[in-house]
Amino acid sequence: MGNVSSQADPRDQVLESRVGADAPIKFTYKADTSGDLQLGFIAEDVPELVSIPGRKGVAPMDLIAVLTKVVQTQQERIADLEERFQELEESSRRR
């Protein structure tokens, strides 16, 4: 397996680091009298790619697609690191 970071589109890397910086928040809707807590993101803080026009909200399906790509990229990196780790273990046993 090759170096994943060199094969990744630079925009994916920027998007990944940007999405990771946006922590979910807990909030209640002003109109919700029950006071039930919701989880979400502040629309102004997420990448424009996943916000709805005017940054009035977050496009859930777009966010899911971006997060799926992030997970896929991380899984590729994990697999690469596991392979490297195995190679290092094997070479250290031979010494």
Side-chain angles (χ1 to χ4, degrees):
M1 181 175 256
N3 184 343
V4 174
S5 62
S6 67
Q7 296 172 359
D9 185 320
R11 291 170 293 180
D12 291 339
Q13 294 171 1
V14 170
L15 189 57
E16 180 177 341
S17 64
R18 180 73 178 104
V19 170
D22 298 321
I25 61 164
K26 292 180 182 179
F27 65 94
T28 56
Y29 288 106
K30 293 176 185 176
D32 183 2
T33 57
S34 70
D36 291 338
L37 281 177
Q38 306 292 321
L39 291 174
F41 297 93
I42 297 173
E44 293 86 4
D45 292 344
V46 298
E48 189 174 340
L49 180 64
V50 296
S51 67
I52 61 173
R55 292 197 174 265
K56 302 237 184 243
V58 176
M61 294 307 294
D62 293 344
L63 183 60
I64 290 170
V66 168
L67 294 176
T68 299
K69 177 63 177 169
V70 169
V71 170
Q72 290 170 341
T73 302
Q74 289 177 343
Q75 289 304 115
E76 291 171 359
R77 288 179 180 168
I78 289 168
D80 184 45
L81 290 172
E82 287 175 338
E83 184 178 320
R84 290 180 187 181
F85 180 76
Q86 288 295 329
E87 290 170 1
L88 287 171
E89 274 190 328
E90 290 171 12
S91 71
S92 70
R93 286 185 197 142
R94 290 184 212 138
R95 292 181 186 178

